[in-house]
Amino acid sequence: MSQRFFRSIIAATSLLVAASTYTENTIQIAVTGLYEWESQITPGVDWWGIFPDEKDGYTLRPTRVSAVLDPSMVIEPEKAPRQISVPGKHGGVIVIRGLTSFTPGPLKSVKLAQYRAPLVPGEHYDLHWGLETSKTQLRLLAAGRPVVQRSGKHSLRRIDDYELWLQRGSGEGVTMQMLVKESEAFGDESPRLHWAGDLDRDGQLDLIYNLSGHYTQTRLALYLSSAAKPGELVGLVATWNGTCGC
């Protein structure tokens, strides 16, 4: 889709920025197997995990989260990252704490295989999960200015003025909401969809996005449809910064 067409859609729709957060600041999110350098989460038994199942789907169930210091990665006295884990050998599990409306069981979700590639400016993803109609179909769109910096034989690709949009419907009934606006450049990767499904079981898609611009870093953002303010599609309720420990 051309940038010109993209701008024409924006001009004809309501432009909404995702600014709705839970003021209590009690929602926490993380990913098992990754590390956090700052103590962002509260370990304990009052967590829920989004566990992959054998049918390429996901099940939500209660779990216990641990955050253990890794002394092998000490870079200065009394400073080491904490590795996030749950009982058993479960790496890459999204864990969430602080939401009271969770119901255990299978989750209706998007098949992520076709959305693994980063969404770059000028491209879009239509999110299919079986419950969408022409009026409720959600689309993710990206805009920005690709830049290539060259230094001798090396080059660095980045994206300036990056924007991530969420669109519902089409034509006169379209609604668009800006999820992310970054003036600084991203690094060697664009933000990518980490998970999408009906986490709060209200019949609408919720999104977990990795907004990091570097392959060793994770910057999760949790958007819930039930947290959206009037006129919004989703509301931002939690963020988390992690690293693979590389």
Side-chain angles (χ1 to χ4, degrees), residues 29-230:
I29 185 171
V31 178
T32 62
L34 297 184
Y35 296 83
E36 60 173 24
W37 282 97
E38 303 294 335
S39 297
Q40 303 167 66
I41 70 164
T42 305
V45 298
D46 52 346
W47 285 78
W48 293 78
I50 303 176
F51 291 87
D53 59 32
E54 297 178 353
K55 299 180 180 180
D56 198 26
Y58 296 89
T59 298
L60 183 68
R61 67 174 190 256
T63 190
R64 183 180 75 250
V65 169
S66 301
V68 180
L69 290 174
D70 187 343
S72 67
M73 297 179 61
V74 174
I75 58 174
E76 59 184 68
E78 299 182 358
K79 185 173 184 181
R82 307 193 307 173
Q83 186 175 35
I84 311 302
S85 64
V86 295
K89 296 181 179 180
H90 298 290
V93 174
I94 303 166
V95 289
I96 303 172
R97 176 181 182 270
L99 292 179
T100 59
S101 58
F102 278 167
T103 302
L107 291 168
K108 191 70 176 178
S109 60
V110 169
K111 302 293 185 183
L112 289 178
Q114 58 184 314
Y115 308 111
R116 290 296 187 187
L119 190 59
V120 299
E123 296 184 352
H124 69 269
Y125 286 148
D126 289 328
L127 300 177
H128 300 291
W129 64 308
L131 297 181
E132 70 274 3
T133 66
S134 59
K135 292 184 179 180
T136 62
Q137 174 70 61
L138 290 181
R139 171 177 288 185
L140 287 164
L141 309 96
R145 183 165 53 90
V147 177
V148 178
Q149 279 187 332
R150 290 185 172 85
S151 177
K153 297 181 180 180
H154 303 283
S155 63
L156 173 65
R157 298 180 181 273
R158 70 172 194 263
I159 302 172
D160 288 349
D161 303 321
Y162 184 89
E163 295 176 355
L164 178 66
W165 292 78
L166 183 63
Q167 173 185 321
R168 182 179 65 190
S170 60
E172 295 182 357
V174 69
T175 299
M176 295 186 70
Q177 176 181 352
M178 185 189 293
L179 300 180
V180 177
K181 183 177 177 63
E182 295 280 0
S183 59
E184 76 264 23
F186 286 94
D188 49 7
E189 289 190 356
S190 301
R192 66 182 65 205
L193 184 65
H194 196 88
W195 187 86
D198 188 9
L199 184 60
D200 51 18
R201 304 189 189 279
D202 65 350
Q204 304 293 327
L205 273 182
D206 308 303
L207 305 175
I208 300 176
Y209 231 89
N210 181 3
L211 304 178
S212 173
H214 196 275
Y215 71 97
T216 66
Q217 305 298 316
T218 296
R219 182 157 62 100
L220 285 191
L222 170 60
Y223 300 92
L224 293 180
S225 56
S226 58
K229 292 181 178 179

Side-chain angles (χ1 to χ4, degrees), residues 228-243:
K229 292 181 178 179
E232 292 183 339
L233 300 175
V234 291
L236 177 64
V237 300
T239 58
W240 181 74
N241 295 314
T243 177

